[in-house]
Amino acid sequence: RKEVEQDPGPFNVPEGATVAFNCTYSNSASQSFFWYRQDCRKEPKLLMSVYSSGNEDGRFTAQLNRASQYISLLIRDSKLSDSATYLCVVVTYGNNRLAFGKGNQVVVIP
Amino acid sequence: ETGVTQTPRHLVMGMTNKKSLKCEQHLGHNAMYWYKQSAKKPLELMFVYNFKEQTENNSVPSRFSPECPNSSHLFLHLHTLQPEDSALYLCASSHSGGKTYEQYFGPGTRLTVT
């Protein structure tokens, strides 16, 4: 089983709609979780951390479900500028390295 | 210059060539990384340097040879590459210790091996 799994999509979303997607991780010892964003032909950039209690940053909401070993990202009121690939990142303390998923590609349609 | 810069941005090389990729960070970080990003695959960590010392080599073939002369500069020396090595090579930097997850990436070098 892959360390971090994501459905690559694409997720085609009408402008103004809500889109949500999950990422599953295989190592139950994983301790920190993040979402990075990668625009087409650009480098990845940290979008937000994912806290155990869930957290929100504007139109973006991240959640963690440790029992089922997945994290989620929800985007409300989608903008055209939200079109990007969202990379799920998991860190397991001890090796202290970032494990990336393949990414969820989001395409916001006018 | 700000952030993390990489040169060249594009590189085409034959299998018998030797070339080097360069990365420079202007963020005062102490950790630097090389990643490989191939189509349809997740980012693969290749090498990690902390305070100029290599702390991780993720089973990378010896045809890739990293060099970190100081905390601000990182090189990836390439020789006798294979076509399957064609990919986007990304450099990243971060603080060491507890904030290694917040990595800042350079724009990458898109490498094509012919």
Side-chain angles (χ1 to χ4, degrees):
Chain A
R1 186 179 167 188
K2 294 191 177 74
E3 192 167 2
V4 182
E5 295 211 56
Q6 293 182 259
D7 175 1
F11 294 78
N12 295 315
V13 188
E15 194 176 3
T18 295
V19 62
F21 37 84
N22 294 340
C23 155
T24 58
Y25 59 94
S26 61
N27 189 343
S28 58
S30 299
Q31 300 220 3
S32 296
F33 309 89
F34 309 92
W35 285 102
Y36 272 68
R37 170 189 170 136
Q38 186 170 23
D39 292 308
C40 186
R41 306 193 80 79
K42 298 272 191 173
E43 70 274 18
K45 293 184 180 177
L46 178 64
L47 177 68
M48 59 195 298
S49 304
V50 186
Y51 302 127
S52 296
S53 54
N55 50 298
E56 198 171 297
D57 183 0
R59 298 179 292 107
F60 295 80
T61 301
Q63 303 238 309
L64 166 64
N65 184 317
R66 284 192 185 274
S68 301
Q69 293 184 204
Y70 73 86
I71 67 172
S72 64
L73 183 66
L74 181 145
I75 308 174
R76 284 184 300 280
D77 187 22
S78 300
K79 311 289 184 194
L80 295 177
S81 57
D82 294 333
S83 296
T85 296
Y86 292 85
L87 305 173
C88 172
V89 177
V90 172
V91 177
T92 304
Y93 289 137
N95 64 37
N96 224 27
R97 64 172 180 82
L98 275 60
F100 285 81
K102 287 185 187 180
N104 299 112
Q105 186 188 4
V106 171
V107 179
V108 181
I109 303 163
Chain B
E1 292 217 55
T2 58
V4 182
T5 58
Q6 287 186 244
T7 55
R9 294 292 306 276
H10 299 271
L11 177 62
V12 179
M13 60 186 287
M15 289 192 283
T16 57
N17 291 157
K18 287 186 181 180
K19 296 285 183 184
S20 295
L21 309 185
K22 180 182 174 183
C23 174
E24 187 172 356
Q25 59 95 2
H26 308 269
L27 299 168
H29 291 158
N30 292 311
M32 296 189 79
Y33 312 80
W34 278 117
Y35 286 89
K36 176 183 178 182
Q37 188 172 36
S38 305
K40 311 287 186 192
K41 287 188 176 181
L43 263 77
E44 300 170 52
L45 180 65
M46 300 174 72
F47 301 104
V48 181
Y49 278 83
N50 274 288
F51 295 94
K52 303 187 299 176
E53 299 298 319
Q54 188 180 126
T55 55
E56 184 154 347
N57 175 337
N58 206 21
S59 304
V60 181
S62 60
R63 58 186 183 269
F64 295 91
S65 173
E67 179 191 358
C68 188
N70 55 60
S71 293
S72 299
H73 293 86
L74 186 64
F75 295 89
L76 188 62
H77 304 300
L78 316 170
H79 65 98
T80 58
L81 294 192
Q82 305 298 310
E84 60 265 27
D85 296 323
S86 298
L88 181 67
Y89 288 85
L90 289 159
C91 171
S93 71
S94 74
H95 291 294
S96 293
K99 281 208 137 188
T100 56
Y101 63 81
E102 192 168 355
Q103 296 186 8
Y104 292 79
F105 286 82
T109 295
R110 189 159 296 280
L111 173 68
T112 302
V113 181
T114 60

